[in-house]
Amino acid sequence: MDRVEVALGRVGGEVPPPARTRPDRYYRLLVDVYEHGRHGLPAAQFAPLGRALGYDARGLGGFFVGTRAPLRRGDERVVLTAEGHRLVEEYLRGVGP
């Protein structure tokens, strides 16, 4: 969606807003969840993973909110959403920030 908005802005002569940059630890946490496979990881393991990367409970909660949240909690597991998969793939390819 962001790419479409940027492209439309170029067509309309608008200057696109600067890309939102996230710290490397943000992507490393998503990659850690990704590496647990398609069923994610047990919710009880998520908080210690986040703490190891310097997140507190409030910061970790941000991964689950919004229309483009990268993570979802369900059935006592934390899994990547479609947006989370997109971010991980871009990060691993070196395309993202």
Side-chain angles (χ1 to χ4, degrees):
M1 192 67 122
D2 289 337
R3 285 181 251 169
V4 171
E5 288 174 354
V6 168
L8 288 174
R10 286 187 194 137
V11 170
E14 299 173 17
V15 177
R20 182 174 158 199
T21 58
R22 295 178 177 106
D24 191 56
R25 69 183 181 153
Y26 178 92
Y27 296 100
R28 290 195 335 242
L29 183 59
L30 294 179
V31 169
D32 285 344
V33 174
Y34 173 81
E35 289 177 341
H36 278 83
R38 67 183 273 240
H39 297 294
L41 73 154
Q45 291 179 8
F46 180 70
L49 225 109
R51 279 195 302 273
L53 290 169
Y55 282 101
D56 64 9
R58 293 170 303 198
L60 290 175
F63 283 88
F64 299 94
V65 296
T67 57
R68 294 174 52 182
L71 296 175
R72 176 176 53 82
R73 193 176 314 211
D75 298 329
E76 299 298 318
R77 300 193 72 77
V78 173
V79 297
L80 289 170
T81 63
E83 177 67 7
H85 280 283
R86 184 189 70 77
L87 290 169
V88 167
E89 288 171 12
E90 286 183 0
Y91 179 72
L92 293 177
R93 285 193 329 248
V95 175

